[in-house]
Amino acid sequence: MRSPSIPYLCRMEALLIQIEELKKEIAAFNGGDAEAFRIKYLGSKGLVKSLMGEMKQVPAEKKKEAGQLLNEFKLFTEERYEALRSASASNGKAQASNIDLSLPGDPMPLGSRHPISLVKNRIISIFQRLGFAVAEGPEIEDDFHNFTALNLPENHPARDMQDTFYISHPATGGADWLLRTHTSSVQVREMEKGKLPIRIICPGRVYRNETISARAHCFFHQVEGLYIAENVSFADLKQTLYFFVQEMFGETVKIRFRPSYFPFTEPSAEMDISCLICGGEGCSVCKRTGWVEILGCGMVHPNVLDNCGIDSSKYTGFAFGMGIERITMLKYQIKDLRLFSENDVRFLDQFSGAV
Ligand code: PHE
């Protein structure tokens, strides 16, 4: 005899109907996504779990029957899940085996070194071969290291030549700070250490208050050199610079020295090289002279040695300084200095692979 409890009976029948419906749905499931199937039917909030929860409402005498039904249904769902899983795994393998490892990869655009860095490194390596060591110093300098020690006392007219950026900030106590106008300040710092002989080059950025144009900028880069020992002569300076020019620009390039003036050297000179464009014939780059200026140099002034605590009766030395931008422009025939600081990749790209 059936239980008189009509709602309970309804519960059992409803369960049967629900299971049948779900079986149909599960058999037809071909979403291909085994994980989505697991979450929907077998997960902790899945349909199998929630049907199990309905067991509570099934009357006691029907519990066994309902339990069996639900277990069967659970097994059925689990089998279907396993089938879906192994199908998608073998599908994945098939996809993996479609990868052709011999195909070339997508090209990755490579950066390149900045032309100023390329030329700076080249200059450094040439002088290193002659035994020069690299020395560095601060870009924010005091008046002594940038000027006074270099035989440019206060009010010296040659200070005007350097268009200095001065820094006045309460934190500096109103003292005489400035952005270095040349890397000669590093040479002073090196001389102060008092370790002789000195054979250094000083690469670095320098600042001058100039209007920006194709030929001038308010910051640029220099490499300056200093050699101090006993019996250093102007002939040593000439030979060192001649070697540098030949290594940098090739063996056919000629050099010449013109007398000049720098407060920190005596005698002083400017060095020209034969024009790389016209080979000395005369063109617009060399202004029809056949020569282009590349650096300043001279024998270190005895006052500078004395200011830095070096015995000028015993030691002599030479110094030179060049702008890296200028050397780079000559080497790569670049017409506008502003290109170096604009970071236009169309310009910079042209140096990829250059050494
Ligand atoms: N310091 C000079 C300048 O910046 C260059 C230089 C260095 C000249 C050493 C002579 C000797 O213009």
Side-chain angles (χ1 to χ4, degrees):
M1 211 180 105
R2 281 189 163 213
S3 156
S5 162
I6 291 165
Y8 283 171
L9 265 183
C10 288
R11 212 43 249 147
M12 185 64 190
E13 266 155 27
L15 199 62
L16 272 170
I17 294 165
Q18 249 181 306
I19 288 176
E20 280 317 306
E21 296 272 292
L22 280 172
K23 273 185 163 176
K24 274 191 232 151
E25 187 183 305
I26 285 169
F29 185 95
N30 60 1
D33 185 347
E35 184 56 12
F37 180 92
R38 190 191 64 76
I39 293 168
K40 182 168 179 194
Y41 298 104
L42 295 165
S44 56
K45 288 181 184 151
L47 284 164
V48 171
K49 259 260 159 61
S50 83
L51 278 184
M52 295 281 193
E54 298 202 6
M55 277 282 283
K56 286 191 269 1
Q57 299 181 29
V58 173
E61 67 274 22
K62 289 279 179 189
K63 271 214 191 319
K64 198 174 161 202
E65 194 188 329
Q68 270 173 353
L69 268 172
L70 280 169
N71 271 338
E72 245 175 61
F73 173 63
K74 193 178 167 209
L75 277 175
F76 171 82
T77 315
E78 282 170 350
E79 272 167 25
R80 181 81 188 113
Y81 169 62
E82 282 308 320
L84 279 171
R85 222 167 54 132
S86 61
S88 76
S90 60
N91 205 3
K93 266 191 214 136
Q95 273 176 7
S97 66
N98 278 341
I99 296 170
D100 182 351
L101 295 175
S102 68
L103 283 175
D106 289 336
M108 288 260 283
L110 278 183
S112 54
R113 271 203 205 291
H114 194 282
I116 295 296
S117 300
L118 288 171
V119 171
K120 181 185 83 179
N121 292 343
R122 182 97 180 256
I123 297 171
I124 290 174
S125 86
I126 294 170
F127 283 105
Q128 275 177 336
R129 272 183 275 150
L130 290 173
F132 283 78
V134 173
E136 282 177 343
E139 290 181 20
I140 298 174
E141 263 299 2
D142 53 45
D143 184 274
F144 177 78
H145 290 92
N146 197 80
F147 289 130
T148 308
L150 289 160
N151 205 24
L152 277 138
E154 222 178 302
N155 301 324
H156 192 290
R159 284 192 178 208
D160 283 351
M161 275 160 50
Q162 304 233 342
D163 302 308
T164 313
F165 283 115
Y166 287 94
I167 300 170
S168 70
H169 187 275
T172 66
D176 50 357
W177 294 94
L178 48 86
L179 296 181
R180 69 181 180 194
T181 58
H182 49 189
T183 57
S184 304
S185 52
V186 184
Q187 304 184 352
V188 173
R189 290 182 178 277
E190 218 50 40
M191 286 189 273
E192 278 176 334
K193 290 181 188 164
K195 265 183 75 187
L196 289 149
I198 296 171
R199 204 196 303 236
I200 50 159
I201 46 168
C202 316
R205 181 174 284 191
V206 300
Y207 302 83
R208 291 186 195 177
N209 190 0
E210 301 226 24
T211 311
I212 297 170
S213 72
R215 317 196 102 242
H217 209 291
C218 60
F219 67 81
F220 58 99
H221 301 80
Q222 280 190 328
V223 175
E224 294 212 353
L226 177 70
Y227 178 35
I228 298 177
E230 286 176 53
N231 299 322
V232 177
S233 71
F234 202 93
D236 297 321
L237 168 63
K238 275 175 120 175
Q239 186 52 43
T240 304
L241 293 178
Y242 190 44
F243 175 80
F244 162 70
V245 165
Q246 292 210 319
E247 291 295 302
M248 193 72 203
F249 297 108
E251 291 188 353
T252 55
V253 177
K254 295 195 264 308
I255 59 169
R256 78 172 184 189
F257 290 84
R258 281 179 291 105
S260 184
Y261 171 74
F262 298 105
F264 28 87
T265 45
E266 183 59 39
S268 303
E270 270 165 323
M271 191 180 87
D272 299 340
I273 59 170
S274 54
C275 179
L276 300 165
I277 312 287
C278 62
E281 305 260 302
C283 67
S284 62
V285 171
C286 59
K287 298 193 194 96
R288 321 246 162 253
T289 63
W291 296 95
V292 281
E293 183 205 317
I294 65 160
L295 55 80
C297 59
M299 300 306 292
V300 181
H301 197 294
N303 287 356
V304 174
L305 296 175
D306 293 337
N307 289 343
C308 299
I310 294 173
D311 183 353
S312 59
S313 62
K314 186 170 173 204
Y315 292 100
T316 50
F318 67 68
F320 57 86
M322 64 186 106
I324 305 180
E325 276 80 355
R326 179 145 186 81
I327 306 284
T328 312
M329 287 169 93
L330 288 170
K331 186 152 182 64
Y332 293 111
Q333 293 169 24
I334 297 162
K335 298 246 155 52
D336 193 325
L337 194 84
R338 288 168 290 199
L339 286 165
F340 293 128
S341 48
E342 280 169 351
N343 275 339
D344 185 335
V345 273
R346 290 169 302 178
F347 169 70
L348 298 175
D349 259 357
Q350 296 175 46
F351 298 89
S352 61
V355 275

